[in-house]
PDB file of all heavy atoms in Angstrom:
ATOM      1  N   PRO A1226     124.446-250.051  54.690  1.00 95.00           N
ATOM      2  CA  PRO A1226     124.610-251.037  55.773  1.00 95.00           C
ATOM      3  C   PRO A1226     123.305-251.489  56.413  1.00 95.00           C
ATOM      4  O   PRO A1226     123.155-252.659  56.760  1.00 95.00           O
ATOM      5  CB  PRO A1226     125.502-250.304  56.783  1.00 95.00           C
ATOM      6  CG  PRO A1226     126.279-249.324  55.959  1.00 95.00           C
ATOM      7  CD  PRO A1226     125.320-248.874  54.888  1.00 95.00           C
ATOM      8  N   ALA A1227     122.358-250.589  56.547  1.00 95.00           N
ATOM      9  CA  ALA A1227     121.103-250.949  57.216  1.00 95.00           C
ATOM     10  C   ALA A1227     120.296-251.969  56.415  1.00 95.00           C
ATOM     11  O   ALA A1227     119.412-252.637  56.964  1.00 95.00           O
ATOM     12  CB  ALA A1227     120.265-249.694  57.456  1.00 95.00           C
ATOM     13  N   LEU A1228     120.589-252.091  55.123  1.00 97.00           N
ATOM     14  CA  LEU A1228     119.824-253.006  54.269  1.00 97.00           C
ATOM     15  C   LEU A1228     120.595-254.260  53.903  1.00 97.00           C
ATOM     16  O   LEU A1228     120.003-255.223  53.388  1.00 97.00           O
ATOM     17  CB  LEU A1228     119.415-252.293  52.965  1.00 97.00           C
ATOM     18  CG  LEU A1228     118.565-251.033  53.074  1.00 97.00           C
ATOM     19  CD1 LEU A1228     118.202-250.537  51.684  1.00 97.00           C
ATOM     20  CD2 LEU A1228     117.314-251.271  53.893  1.00 97.00           C
ATOM     21  N   HIS A1229     121.897-254.270  54.114  1.00 91.00           N
ATOM     22  CA  HIS A1229     122.746-255.340  53.575  1.00 91.00           C
ATOM     23  C   HIS A1229     122.243-256.732  53.927  1.00 91.00           C
ATOM     24  O   HIS A1229     122.277-257.642  53.095  1.00 91.00           O
ATOM     25  CB  HIS A1229     124.189-255.161  54.059  1.00 91.00           C
ATOM     26  CG  HIS A1229     125.115-256.231  53.584  1.00 91.00           C
ATOM     27  ND1 HIS A1229     125.460-256.383  52.244  1.00 91.00           N
ATOM     28  CD2 HIS A1229     125.749-257.222  54.247  1.00 91.00           C
ATOM     29  CE1 HIS A1229     126.278-257.415  52.121  1.00 91.00           C
ATOM     30  NE2 HIS A1229     126.469-257.939  53.317  1.00 91.00           N
ATOM     31  N   ASP A1230     121.730-256.915  55.136  1.00 94.00           N
ATOM     32  CA  ASP A1230     121.329-258.246  55.585  1.00 94.00           C
ATOM     33  C   ASP A1230     119.977-258.695  55.051  1.00 94.00           C
ATOM     34  O   ASP A1230     119.489-259.760  55.427  1.00 94.00           O
ATOM     35  CB  ASP A1230     121.319-258.304  57.118  1.00 94.00           C
ATOM     36  CG  ASP A1230     122.727-258.251  57.694  1.00 94.00           C
ATOM     37  OD1 ASP A1230     123.676-258.556  56.958  1.00 94.00           O
ATOM     38  OD2 ASP A1230     122.872-257.895  58.881  1.00 94.00           O
ATOM     39  N   ARG A1231     119.363-257.892  54.198  1.00 97.00           N
ATOM     40  CA  ARG A1231     118.106-258.334  53.574  1.00 97.00           C
ATOM     41  C   ARG A1231     118.066-258.043  52.079  1.00 97.00           C
ATOM     42  O   ARG A1231     117.004-258.068  51.465  1.00 97.00           O
ATOM     43  CB  ARG A1231     116.898-257.746  54.286  1.00 97.00           C
ATOM     44  CG  ARG A1231     116.935-256.252  54.541  1.00 97.00           C
ATOM     45  CD  ARG A1231     115.840-255.879  55.538  1.00 97.00           C
ATOM     46  NE  ARG A1231     115.898-254.507  55.971  1.00 97.00           N
ATOM     47  CZ  ARG A1231     115.041-253.559  55.583  1.00 97.00           C
ATOM     48  NH1 ARG A1231     114.074-253.856  54.730  1.00 97.00           N
ATOM     49  NH2 ARG A1231     115.146-252.326  56.049  1.00 97.00           N
ATOM     50  N   VAL A1232     119.232-257.800  51.504  1.00 98.00           N
ATOM     51  CA  VAL A1232     119.327-257.636  50.055  1.00 98.00           C
ATOM     52  C   VAL A1232     119.786-258.945  49.429  1.00 98.00           C
ATOM     53  O   VAL A1232     120.741-259.575  49.899  1.00 98.00           O
ATOM     54  CB  VAL A1232     120.299-256.500  49.671  1.00 98.00           C
ATOM     55  CG1 VAL A1232     120.478-256.443  48.157  1.00 98.00           C
ATOM     56  CG2 VAL A1232     119.785-255.160  50.179  1.00 98.00           C
ATOM     57  N   ILE A1233     119.100-259.345  48.362  1.00 98.00           N
ATOM     58  CA  ILE A1233     119.477-260.515  47.573  1.00 98.00           C
ATOM     59  C   ILE A1233     119.965-259.990  46.230  1.00 98.00           C
ATOM     60  O   ILE A1233     119.188-259.418  45.458  1.00 98.00           O
ATOM     61  CB  ILE A1233     118.273-261.458  47.366  1.00 98.00           C
ATOM     62  CG1 ILE A1233     117.664-261.864  48.699  1.00 98.00           C
ATOM     63  CG2 ILE A1233     118.690-262.678  46.545  1.00 98.00           C
ATOM     64  CD1 ILE A1233     116.265-262.453  48.571  1.00 98.00           C
ATOM     65  N   ILE A1234     121.248-260.150  45.952  1.00 98.00           N
ATOM     66  CA  ILE A1234     121.818-259.693  44.684  1.00 98.00           C
ATOM     67  C   ILE A1234     121.779-260.840  43.682  1.00 98.00           C
ATOM     68  O   ILE A1234     122.175-261.968  43.999  1.00 98.00           O
ATOM     69  CB  ILE A1234     123.272-259.220  44.869  1.00 98.00           C
ATOM     70  CG1 ILE A1234     123.347-258.003  45.797  1.00 98.00           C
ATOM     71  CG2 ILE A1234     123.915-258.899  43.524  1.00 98.00           C
ATOM     72  CD1 ILE A1234     124.764-257.594  46.147  1.00 98.00           C
ATOM     73  N   VAL A1235     121.317-260.543  42.485  1.00 98.00           N
ATOM     74  CA  VAL A1235     121.369-261.517  41.396  1.00 98.00           C
ATOM     75  C   VAL A1235     122.160-260.899  40.249  1.00 98.00           C
ATOM     76  O   VAL A1235     121.918-259.760  39.851  1.00 98.00           O
ATOM     77  CB  VAL A1235     119.963-261.927  40.929  1.00 98.00           C
ATOM     78  CG1 VAL A1235     120.041-262.795  39.682  1.00 98.00           C
ATOM     79  CG2 VAL A1235     119.235-262.676  42.046  1.00 98.00           C
ATOM     80  N   ASN A1236     123.106-261.661  39.733  1.00 98.00           N
ATOM     81  CA  ASN A1236     123.954-261.191  38.646  1.00 98.00           C
ATOM     82  C   ASN A1236     124.441-262.416  37.880  1.00 98.00           C
ATOM     83  O   ASN A1236     124.028-263.529  38.163  1.00 98.00           O
ATOM     84  CB  ASN A1236     125.122-260.357  39.209  1.00 98.00           C
ATOM     85  CG  ASN A1236     125.656-259.328  38.229  1.00 98.00           C
ATOM     86  OD1 ASN A1236     125.617-259.529  37.018  1.00 98.00           O
ATOM     87  ND2 ASN A1236     126.167-258.224  38.750  1.00 98.00           N
ATOM     88  N   GLY A1237     125.328-262.217  36.929  1.00 98.00           N
ATOM     89  CA  GLY A1237     125.820-263.343  36.156  1.00 98.00           C
ATOM     90  C   GLY A1237     126.747-262.884  35.045  1.00 98.00           C
ATOM     91  O   GLY A1237     127.086-261.705  34.944  1.00 98.00           O
ATOM     92  N   VAL A1238     127.107-263.831  34.200  1.00 98.00           N
ATOM     93  CA  VAL A1238     128.112-263.567  33.162  1.00 98.00           C
ATOM     94  C   VAL A1238     127.514-263.280  31.792  1.00 98.00           C
ATOM     95  O   VAL A1238     128.240-262.938  30.863  1.00 98.00           O
ATOM     96  CB  VAL A1238     129.097-264.750  33.044  1.00 98.00           C
ATOM     97  CG1 VAL A1238     129.902-264.913  34.327  1.00 98.00           C
ATOM     98  CG2 VAL A1238     128.368-266.051  32.710  1.00 98.00           C
ATOM     99  N   SER A1239     126.207-263.407  31.649  1.00 97.00           N
ATOM    100  CA  SER A1239     125.615-263.406  30.311  1.00 97.00           C
ATOM    101  C   SER A1239     125.814-262.107  29.548  1.00 97.00           C
ATOM    102  O   SER A1239     126.190-262.124  28.369  1.00 97.00           O
ATOM    103  CB  SER A1239     124.122-263.731  30.392  1.00 97.00           C
ATOM    104  OG  SER A1239     123.441-262.760  31.168  1.00 97.00           O
ATOM    105  N   LYS A1240     125.585-260.969  30.185  1.00 97.00           N
ATOM    106  CA  LYS A1240     125.627-259.693  29.470  1.00 97.00           C
ATOM    107  C   LYS A1240     127.039-259.122  29.409  1.00 97.00           C
ATOM    108  O   LYS A1240     127.530-258.748  28.343  1.00 97.00           O
ATOM    109  CB  LYS A1240     124.682-258.680  30.125  1.00 97.00           C
ATOM    110  CG  LYS A1240     123.289-259.197  30.441  1.00 97.00           C
ATOM    111  CD  LYS A1240     122.524-259.642  29.218  1.00 97.00           C
ATOM    112  CE  LYS A1240     121.101-260.058  29.611  1.00 97.00           C
ATOM    113  NZ  LYS A1240     120.305-260.542  28.479  1.00 97.00           N
ATOM    114  N   ALA A1241     127.718-259.047  30.555  1.00 97.00           N
ATOM    115  CA  ALA A1241     129.028-258.392  30.614  1.00 97.00           C
ATOM    116  C   ALA A1241     130.078-259.128  29.807  1.00 97.00           C
ATOM    117  O   ALA A1241     130.973-258.510  29.218  1.00 97.00           O
ATOM    118  CB  ALA A1241     129.482-258.268  32.061  1.00 97.00           C
ATOM    119  N   TYR A1242     129.991-260.462  29.763  1.00 98.00           N
ATOM    120  CA  TYR A1242     131.016-261.261  29.095  1.00 98.00           C
ATOM    121  C   TYR A1242     130.509-261.932  27.820  1.00 98.00           C
ATOM    122  O   TYR A1242     131.167-262.819  27.286  1.00 98.00           O
ATOM    123  CB  TYR A1242     131.551-262.332  30.057  1.00 98.00           C
ATOM    124  CG  TYR A1242     132.177-261.764  31.311  1.00 98.00           C
ATOM    125  CD1 TYR A1242     131.420-261.647  32.485  1.00 98.00           C
ATOM    126  CD2 TYR A1242     133.498-261.332  31.333  1.00 98.00           C
ATOM    127  CE1 TYR A1242     131.978-261.120  33.646  1.00 98.00           C
ATOM    128  CE2 TYR A1242     134.054-260.802  32.489  1.00 98.00           C
ATOM    129  CZ  TYR A1242     133.297-260.698  33.639  1.00 98.00           C
ATOM    130  OH  TYR A1242     133.851-260.179  34.789  1.00 98.00           O
ATOM    131  N   ALA A1243     129.338-261.516  27.335  1.00 97.00           N
ATOM    132  CA  ALA A1243     128.754-262.097  26.120  1.00 97.00           C
ATOM    133  C   ALA A1243     128.665-263.625  26.236  1.00 97.00           C
ATOM    134  O   ALA A1243     129.138-264.369  25.382  1.00 97.00           O
ATOM    135  CB  ALA A1243     129.564-261.699  24.883  1.00 97.00           C
ATOM    136  N   MET A1244     128.026-264.084  27.303  1.00 98.00           N
ATOM    137  CA  MET A1244     127.936-265.522  27.594  1.00 98.00           C
ATOM    138  C   MET A1244     126.493-265.962  27.809  1.00 98.00           C
ATOM    139  O   MET A1244     126.216-266.825  28.645  1.00 98.00           O
ATOM    140  CB  MET A1244     128.786-265.856  28.831  1.00 98.00           C
ATOM    141  CG  MET A1244     130.271-265.659  28.645  1.00 98.00           C
ATOM    142  SD  MET A1244     131.232-265.966  30.164  1.00 98.00           S
ATOM    143  CE  MET A1244     131.002-267.740  30.364  1.00 98.00           C
ATOM    144  N   THR A1245     125.554-265.416  27.046  1.00 97.00           N
ATOM    145  CA  THR A1245     124.142-265.742  27.272  1.00 97.00           C
ATOM    146  C   THR A1245     123.878-267.245  27.196  1.00 97.00           C
ATOM    147  O   THR A1245     123.118-267.790  27.998  1.00 97.00           O
ATOM    148  CB  THR A1245     123.252-265.000  26.266  1.00 97.00           C
ATOM    149  OG1 THR A1245     123.750-265.223  24.939  1.00 97.00           O
ATOM    150  CG2 THR A1245     123.243-263.502  26.534  1.00 97.00           C
ATOM    151  N   GLY A1246     124.473-267.926  26.242  1.00 97.00           N
ATOM    152  CA  GLY A1246     124.197-269.349  26.059  1.00 97.00           C
ATOM    153  C   GLY A1246     124.887-270.264  27.051  1.00 97.00           C
ATOM    154  O   GLY A1246     124.537-271.440  27.138  1.00 97.00           O
ATOM    155  N   TRP A1247     125.822-269.735  27.808  1.00 98.00           N
ATOM    156  CA  TRP A1247     126.519-270.563  28.791  1.00 98.00           C
ATOM    157  C   TRP A1247     125.650-270.840  30.011  1.00 98.00           C
ATOM    158  O   TRP A1247     125.889-271.801  30.749  1.00 98.00           O
ATOM    159  CB  TRP A1247     127.814-269.870  29.240  1.00 98.00           C
ATOM    160  CG  TRP A1247     128.827-269.693  28.153  1.00 98.00           C
ATOM    161  CD1 TRP A1247     128.831-268.710  27.191  1.00 98.00           C
ATOM    162  CD2 TRP A1247     129.977-270.504  27.895  1.00 98.00           C
ATOM    163  NE1 TRP A1247     129.925-268.861  26.372  1.00 98.00           N
ATOM    164  CE2 TRP A1247     130.648-269.947  26.781  1.00 98.00           C
ATOM    165  CE3 TRP A1247     130.526-271.621  28.519  1.00 98.00           C
ATOM    166  CZ2 TRP A1247     131.826-270.493  26.269  1.00 98.00           C
ATOM    167  CZ3 TRP A1247     131.685-272.164  28.013  1.00 98.00           C
ATOM    168  CH2 TRP A1247     132.328-271.607  26.899  1.00 98.00           C
ATOM    169  N   ARG A1248     124.673-269.991  30.259  1.00 98.00           N
ATOM    170  CA  ARG A1248     123.676-270.162  31.318  1.00 98.00           C
ATOM    171  C   ARG A1248     124.299-270.251  32.716  1.00 98.00           C
ATOM    172  O   ARG A1248     124.124-271.247  33.437  1.00 98.00           O
ATOM    173  CB  ARG A1248     122.786-271.394  31.061  1.00 98.00           C
ATOM    174  CG  ARG A1248     122.124-271.469  29.698  1.00 98.00           C
ATOM    175  CD  ARG A1248     121.415-270.191  29.284  1.00 98.00           C
ATOM    176  NE  ARG A1248     120.400-269.782  30.238  1.00 98.00           N
ATOM    177  CZ  ARG A1248     120.238-268.522  30.647  1.00 98.00           C
ATOM    178  NH1 ARG A1248     121.022-267.550  30.215  1.00 98.00           N
ATOM    179  NH2 ARG A1248     119.292-268.225  31.503  1.00 98.00           N
ATOM    180  N   ILE A1249     124.995-269.178  33.107  1.00 98.00           N
ATOM    181  CA  ILE A1249     125.537-269.107  34.462  1.00 98.00           C
ATOM    182  C   ILE A1249     125.158-267.771  35.084  1.00 98.00           C
ATOM    183  O   ILE A1249     125.501-266.706  34.573  1.00 98.00           O
ATOM    184  CB  ILE A1249     127.071-269.265  34.486  1.00 98.00           C
ATOM    185  CG1 ILE A1249     127.483-270.658  34.037  1.00 98.00           C
ATOM    186  CG2 ILE A1249     127.616-268.974  35.890  1.00 98.00           C
ATOM    187  CD1 ILE A1249     127.092-271.781  35.008  1.00 98.00           C
ATOM    188  N   GLY A1250     124.435-267.851  36.188  1.00 98.00           N
ATOM    189  CA  GLY A1250     124.118-266.678  36.995  1.00 98.00           C
ATOM    190  C   GLY A1250     124.347-267.025  38.448  1.00 98.00           C
ATOM    191  O   GLY A1250     124.611-268.187  38.791  1.00 98.00           O
ATOM    192  N   TYR A1251     124.275-266.032  39.313  1.00 98.00           N
ATOM    193  CA  TYR A1251     124.465-266.321  40.729  1.00 98.00           C
ATOM    194  C   TYR A1251     123.557-265.451  41.580  1.00 98.00           C
ATOM    195  O   TYR A1251     123.066-264.407  41.151  1.00 98.00           O
ATOM    196  CB  TYR A1251     125.925-266.130  41.151  1.00 98.00           C
ATOM    197  CG  TYR A1251     126.414-264.698  41.159  1.00 98.00           C
ATOM    198  CD1 TYR A1251     126.131-263.831  42.221  1.00 98.00           C
ATOM    199  CD2 TYR A1251     127.191-264.205  40.115  1.00 98.00           C
ATOM    200  CE1 TYR A1251     126.579-262.526  42.234  1.00 98.00           C
ATOM    201  CE2 TYR A1251     127.652-262.889  40.117  1.00 98.00           C
ATOM    202  CZ  TYR A1251     127.338-262.060  41.186  1.00 98.00           C
ATOM    203  OH  TYR A1251     127.779-260.757  41.177  1.00 98.00           O
ATOM    204  N   LEU A1252     123.368-265.908  42.796  1.00 98.00           N
ATOM    205  CA  LEU A1252     122.641-265.183  43.826  1.00 98.00           C
ATOM    206  C   LEU A1252     123.572-265.018  45.019  1.00 98.00           C
ATOM    207  O   LEU A1252     124.267-265.968  45.411  1.00 98.00           O
ATOM    208  CB  LEU A1252     121.391-265.972  44.188  1.00 98.00           C
ATOM    209  CG  LEU A1252     120.537-265.581  45.387  1.00 98.00           C
ATOM    210  CD1 LEU A1252     119.083-265.946  45.122  1.00 98.00           C
ATOM    211  CD2 LEU A1252     121.003-266.332  46.652  1.00 98.00           C
ATOM    212  N   ALA A1253     123.623-263.801  45.566  1.00 98.00           N
ATOM    213  CA  ALA A1253     124.378-263.524  46.790  1.00 98.00           C
ATOM    214  C   ALA A1253     123.378-263.007  47.814  1.00 98.00           C
ATOM    215  O   ALA A1253     122.709-262.001  47.572  1.00 98.00           O
ATOM    216  CB  ALA A1253     125.476-262.490  46.527  1.00 98.00           C
ATOM    217  N   ALA A1254     123.280-263.683  48.947  1.00 98.00           N
ATOM    218  CA  ALA A1254     122.169-263.389  49.857  1.00 98.00           C
ATOM    219  C   ALA A1254     122.550-263.678  51.300  1.00 98.00           C
ATOM    220  O   ALA A1254     123.563-264.343  51.576  1.00 98.00           O
ATOM    221  CB  ALA A1254     120.961-264.238  49.464  1.00 98.00           C
ATOM    222  N   PRO A1255     121.738-263.201  52.236  1.00 98.00           N
ATOM    223  CA  PRO A1255     121.903-263.639  53.626  1.00 98.00           C
ATOM    224  C   PRO A1255     121.929-265.163  53.694  1.00 98.00           C
ATOM    225  O   PRO A1255     121.252-265.838  52.898  1.00 98.00           O
ATOM    226  CB  PRO A1255     120.665-263.066  54.313  1.00 98.00           C
ATOM    227  CG  PRO A1255     120.302-261.866  53.494  1.00 98.00           C
ATOM    228  CD  PRO A1255     120.631-262.243  52.086  1.00 98.00           C
ATOM    229  N   LEU A1256     122.705-265.706  54.616  1.00 98.00           N
ATOM    230  CA  LEU A1256     122.960-267.146  54.632  1.00 98.00           C
ATOM    231  C   LEU A1256     121.678-267.975  54.668  1.00 98.00           C
ATOM    232  O   LEU A1256     121.570-268.989  53.965  1.00 98.00           O
ATOM    233  CB  LEU A1256     123.840-267.494  55.844  1.00 98.00           C
ATOM    234  CG  LEU A1256     124.285-268.952  55.948  1.00 98.00           C
ATOM    235  CD1 LEU A1256     125.070-269.378  54.711  1.00 98.00           C
ATOM    236  CD2 LEU A1256     125.121-269.150  57.217  1.00 98.00           C
ATOM    237  N   LYS A1257     120.707-267.564  55.457  1.00 98.00           N
ATOM    238  CA  LYS A1257     119.466-268.335  55.563  1.00 98.00           C
ATOM    239  C   LYS A1257     118.762-268.434  54.215  1.00 98.00           C
ATOM    240  O   LYS A1257     118.232-269.495  53.847  1.00 98.00           O
ATOM    241  CB  LYS A1257     118.543-267.686  56.600  1.00 98.00           C
ATOM    242  CG  LYS A1257     117.293-268.492  56.926  1.00 98.00           C
ATOM    243  CD  LYS A1257     116.518-267.856  58.068  1.00 98.00           C
ATOM    244  CE  LYS A1257     115.310-268.712  58.448  1.00 98.00           C
ATOM    245  NZ  LYS A1257     114.562-268.118  59.594  1.00 98.00           N
ATOM    246  N   ILE A1258     118.766-267.334  53.454  1.00 98.00           N
ATOM    247  CA  ILE A1258     118.130-267.343  52.134  1.00 98.00           C
ATOM    248  C   ILE A1258     118.943-268.165  51.153  1.00 98.00           C
ATOM    249  O   ILE A1258     118.388-268.938  50.355  1.00 98.00           O
ATOM    250  CB  ILE A1258     117.928-265.902  51.629  1.00 98.00           C
ATOM    251  CG1 ILE A1258     116.915-265.173  52.526  1.00 98.00           C
ATOM    252  CG2 ILE A1258     117.463-265.890  50.174  1.00 98.00           C
ATOM    253  CD1 ILE A1258     116.742-263.696  52.192  1.00 98.00           C
ATOM    254  N   ALA A1259     120.269-268.029  51.185  1.00 98.00           N
ATOM    255  CA  ALA A1259     121.118-268.811  50.288  1.00 98.00           C
ATOM    256  C   ALA A1259     120.908-270.308  50.514  1.00 98.00           C
ATOM    257  O   ALA A1259     120.830-271.096  49.561  1.00 98.00           O
ATOM    258  CB  ALA A1259     122.581-268.438  50.491  1.00 98.00           C
ATOM    259  N   LYS A1260     120.798-270.722  51.778  1.00 98.00           N
ATOM    260  CA  LYS A1260     120.564-272.137  52.077  1.00 98.00           C
ATOM    261  C   LYS A1260     119.200-272.592  51.557  1.00 98.00           C
ATOM    262  O   LYS A1260     119.061-273.708  51.040  1.00 98.00           O
ATOM    263  CB  LYS A1260     120.658-272.373  53.587  1.00 98.00           C
ATOM    264  CG  LYS A1260     122.077-272.344  54.132  1.00 98.00           C
ATOM    265  CD  LYS A1260     122.096-272.651  55.621  1.00 98.00           C
ATOM    266  CE  LYS A1260     123.520-272.744  56.163  1.00 98.00           C
ATOM    267  NZ  LYS A1260     123.535-273.049  57.621  1.00 98.00           N
ATOM    268  N   ALA A1261     118.196-271.723  51.690  1.00 98.00           N
ATOM    269  CA  ALA A1261     116.860-272.071  51.200  1.00 98.00           C
ATOM    270  C   ALA A1261     116.853-272.217  49.684  1.00 98.00           C
ATOM    271  O   ALA A1261     116.229-273.140  49.135  1.00 98.00           O
ATOM    272  CB  ALA A1261     115.854-271.015  51.636  1.00 98.00           C
ATOM    273  N   VAL A1262     117.545-271.313  49.004  1.00 98.00           N
ATOM    274  CA  VAL A1262     117.626-271.376  47.538  1.00 98.00           C
ATOM    275  C   VAL A1262     118.377-272.632  47.106  1.00 98.00           C
ATOM    276  O   VAL A1262     117.979-273.315  46.149  1.00 98.00           O
ATOM    277  CB  VAL A1262     118.296-270.101  46.988  1.00 98.00           C
ATOM    278  CG1 VAL A1262     118.688-270.282  45.525  1.00 98.00           C
ATOM    279  CG2 VAL A1262     117.358-268.912  47.130  1.00 98.00           C
ATOM    280  N   SER A1263     119.458-272.956  47.802  1.00 98.00           N
ATOM    281  CA  SER A1263     120.207-274.175  47.485  1.00 98.00           C
ATOM    282  C   SER A1263     119.344-275.421  47.695  1.00 98.00           C
ATOM    283  O   SER A1263     119.387-276.372  46.899  1.00 98.00           O
ATOM    284  CB  SER A1263     121.463-274.242  48.352  1.00 98.00           C
ATOM    285  OG  SER A1263     122.268-275.345  47.974  1.00 98.00           O
ATOM    286  N   LYS A1264     118.545-275.416  48.744  1.00 98.00           N
ATOM    287  CA  LYS A1264     117.616-276.529  49.010  1.00 98.00           C
ATOM    288  C   LYS A1264     116.629-276.690  47.865  1.00 98.00           C
ATOM    289  O   LYS A1264     116.373-277.811  47.387  1.00 98.00           O
ATOM    290  CB  LYS A1264     116.890-276.257  50.318  1.00 98.00           C
ATOM    291  CG  LYS A1264     115.886-277.306  50.751  1.00 98.00           C
ATOM    292  CD  LYS A1264     115.244-276.878  52.074  1.00 98.00           C
ATOM    293  CE  LYS A1264     114.203-277.873  52.552  1.00 98.00           C
ATOM    294  NZ  LYS A1264     113.558-277.420  53.825  1.00 98.00           N
ATOM    295  N   LEU A1265     116.075-275.573  47.412  1.00 98.00           N
ATOM    296  CA  LEU A1265     115.137-275.597  46.291  1.00 98.00           C
ATOM    297  C   LEU A1265     115.820-276.086  45.020  1.00 98.00           C
ATOM    298  O   LEU A1265     115.297-276.952  44.303  1.00 98.00           O
ATOM    299  CB  LEU A1265     114.558-274.195  46.073  1.00 98.00           C
ATOM    300  CG  LEU A1265     113.756-273.960  44.788  1.00 98.00           C
ATOM    301  CD1 LEU A1265     112.521-274.851  44.756  1.00 98.00           C
ATOM    302  CD2 LEU A1265     113.368-272.489  44.672  1.00 98.00           C
ATOM    303  N   GLN A1266     117.001-275.549  44.758  1.00 98.00           N
ATOM    304  CA  GLN A1266     117.711-275.921  43.532  1.00 98.00           C
ATOM    305  C   GLN A1266     118.097-277.400  43.543  1.00 98.00           C
ATOM    306  O   GLN A1266     118.114-278.058  42.512  1.00 98.00           O
ATOM    307  CB  GLN A1266     118.958-275.041  43.377  1.00 98.00           C
ATOM    308  CG  GLN A1266     119.600-275.108  42.003  1.00 98.00           C
ATOM    309  CD  GLN A1266     120.516-273.916  41.756  1.00 98.00           C
ATOM    310  OE1 GLN A1266     120.060-272.785  41.688  1.00 98.00           O
ATOM    311  NE2 GLN A1266     121.802-274.170  41.636  1.00 98.00           N
ATOM    312  N   GLY A1267     118.370-277.921  44.729  1.00 98.00           N
ATOM    313  CA  GLY A1267     118.708-279.334  44.856  1.00 98.00           C
ATOM    314  C   GLY A1267     117.567-280.258  44.476  1.00 98.00           C
ATOM    315  O   GLY A1267     117.792-281.417  44.114  1.00 98.00           O
ATOM    316  N   GLN A1268     116.341-279.757  44.542  1.00 97.00           N
ATOM    317  CA  GLN A1268     115.186-280.556  44.162  1.00 97.00           C
ATOM    318  C   GLN A1268     114.640-280.181  42.781  1.00 97.00           C
ATOM    319  O   GLN A1268     113.576-280.671  42.384  1.00 97.00           O
ATOM    320  CB  GLN A1268     114.078-280.405  45.210  1.00 97.00           C
ATOM    321  CG  GLN A1268     114.440-280.969  46.569  1.00 97.00           C
ATOM    322  CD  GLN A1268     114.537-282.483  46.591  1.00 97.00           C
ATOM    323  OE1 GLN A1268     114.463-283.141  45.551  1.00 97.00           O
ATOM    324  NE2 GLN A1268     114.717-283.055  47.767  1.00 97.00           N
ATOM    325  N   SER A1269     115.350-279.309  42.081  1.00 97.00           N
ATOM    326  CA  SER A1269     114.898-278.938  40.734  1.00 97.00           C
ATOM    327  C   SER A1269     115.985-279.236  39.711  1.00 97.00           C
ATOM    328  O   SER A1269     116.020-280.317  39.129  1.00 97.00           O
ATOM    329  CB  SER A1269     114.460-277.467  40.687  1.00 97.00           C
ATOM    330  OG  SER A1269     115.491-276.604  41.155  1.00 97.00           O
ATOM    331  N   THR A1270     116.921-278.323  39.529  1.00 97.00           N
ATOM    332  CA  THR A1270     117.941-278.525  38.489  1.00 97.00           C
ATOM    333  C   THR A1270     119.245-279.101  39.000  1.00 97.00           C
ATOM    334  O   THR A1270     120.074-279.542  38.214  1.00 97.00           O
ATOM    335  CB  THR A1270     118.264-277.183  37.808  1.00 97.00           C
ATOM    336  OG1 THR A1270     118.783-276.276  38.783  1.00 97.00           O
ATOM    337  CG2 THR A1270     117.040-276.605  37.151  1.00 97.00           C
ATOM    338  N   SER A1271     119.480-279.071  40.315  1.00 97.00           N
ATOM    339  CA  SER A1271     120.789-279.380  40.889  1.00 97.00           C
ATOM    340  C   SER A1271     121.813-278.366  40.388  1.00 97.00           C
ATOM    341  O   SER A1271     121.463-277.248  40.044  1.00 97.00           O
ATOM    342  CB  SER A1271     121.193-280.823  40.586  1.00 97.00           C
ATOM    343  OG  SER A1271     120.259-281.717  41.144  1.00 97.00           O
ATOM    344  N   GLY A1272     123.075-278.760  40.320  1.00 98.00           N
ATOM    345  CA  GLY A1272     124.127-277.820  39.954  1.00 98.00           C
ATOM    346  C   GLY A1272     124.129-277.475  38.479  1.00 98.00           C
ATOM    347  O   GLY A1272     123.672-278.239  37.634  1.00 98.00           O
TER     348      GLY A1272
END
């Protein structure tokens, strides 16, 4: 609990579901960081 608000989890479907070529991963983070990452992604690859 003491760390939850500053941990950024990254995971995805590539290894567990044998989906490497599908190219889907995710980030779960404190809201401020998630918004910053979304802002960055919006100016690079988009969705």
